[in-house]
Amino acid sequence: MADFSVQSSEKAIGVFDSGLGGLTCVSELMKLMPSENIIYFGDTARVPYGTRSKETILEYARQDVNFIKSFDVKMIIAACGTVSSVVGKQKDFAGDVPFTGVVIPAVQAACAATRNGRIGVIGTAATIRSGAYGKAIRNIRQDAVVIGNACTMFVPMVENGITDKNDIVVKEMIKRYLEPIRRENVDVLILGCTHYPILHEAIAEYMGEDVRLISSGAEAAKFTMNMLAGKNMLSERTESGKVSYYTSDSKELFEANAHAFIGSRLMGEVTQISIDDIIQK
């Protein structure tokens, strides 16, 4: 097993997603560890991943990981519920670089939060089809009842800025996808895609105040902080870290929409790359 402790604590944390959703994880990383440098790649030219086959998702994920690894990072986060579900527990998916997806961190938080053992999960079609969240939940709590539903239109809605809780499209889609879960009396709902926290207000209002929402991206950020701390790999710099953004589609669209995910004005340079650049890494 590789000795991760020998790696420089001052290297960046790498984060990737199929689009902009992983920025919700980046936002949490910046709050928890403001001195860390972060490399973010959003594969916006191929979003969404959730409607693709398992083989295609794995191919894209390997290409994304290799691109991130080209920056010599100290850890990689697959801030994508679809990739995390398909990759499963392969902690060595990034080779000798520490790696985590969003499934295990979110599941651990959900199992700790539930009172009645009834846990809802929403994600892309590929995520729900994989059954990864249900398997992980029952590994921790065998008596848990897991109710999942694929929310196919959520990612396209979010990527196109259709997120206002009062928007008629948002209301209709929320009702269509969440009604089967709400009637099952869940008390915890895992937002199994990092795009979904952008719909947090609308989802929370529909589910009611007795249902706790778990953001998979935010939980992955907490998991990363604890993991790096345990390996003595947290940055020791005193100044604020830098965030570098890479996108496989329009730089202008990335810059225009990213603020909704990052929670503030985008700080850091955005670079557009081609799919060929990713494949060749």
Side-chain angles (χ1 to χ4, degrees), residues 12-171:
I13 298 170
V15 184
F16 73 91
D17 181 37
S18 61
L20 298 174
L23 291 175
T24 58
C25 179
V26 170
S27 178
E28 193 67 19
L29 288 170
M30 292 167 66
K31 294 174 186 175
L32 294 173
M33 298 173 284
S35 63
E36 296 287 350
N37 289 335
I38 300 170
I39 304 291
Y40 180 79
F41 172 55
D43 192 9
T44 48
R46 301 190 292 194
V47 68
Y49 283 8
T51 57
R52 317 261 183 182
S53 69
K54 178 180 179 180
E55 292 72 25
T56 297
I57 294 165
L58 284 172
E59 179 184 0
Y60 288 179
R62 290 190 183 100
Q63 292 169 0
D64 298 344
V65 163
N66 287 336
F67 177 74
I68 291 290
K69 286 178 71 175
S70 70
F71 295 94
D72 193 24
V73 295
K74 63 183 176 183
M75 182 164 181
I76 296 177
I77 305 172
C80 174
T82 298
V83 169
S84 303
S85 299
V86 171
V87 170
K89 296 182 179 179
Q90 299 180 47
K91 294 182 179 179
D92 60 346
F93 189 74
D96 60 354
V97 180
F99 172 84
T100 186
V102 298
V103 173
I104 299 302
V107 163
Q108 290 174 341
C111 288
T114 186
R115 302 177 303 277
N116 66 8
R118 302 181 69 83
I119 300 173
V121 180
I122 54 175
T124 65
T127 294
I128 299 303
R129 188 166 59 243
S130 74
Y133 276 99
K135 294 171 188 174
I137 288 169
R138 292 188 185 95
N139 281 338
I140 297 175
R141 184 163 178 168
Q142 293 183 351
D143 66 336
V145 176
V146 183
I147 301 95
N149 203 20
C151 303
T152 311
M153 292 301 298
F154 279 8
V155 170
M157 280 167 49
V158 170
E159 289 279 331
N160 286 281
I162 305 171
T163 59
D164 190 298
K165 70 173 185 176
N166 296 314
D167 188 296
I168 189 169
V169 174
V170 173
K171 283 180 173 290

Side-chain angles (χ1 to χ4, degrees), residues 34-37 237-242:
S35 63
E36 296 287 350
N37 289 335
R237 69 172 61 89
T238 55
E239 69 272 18
S240 296
K242 298 178 181 178

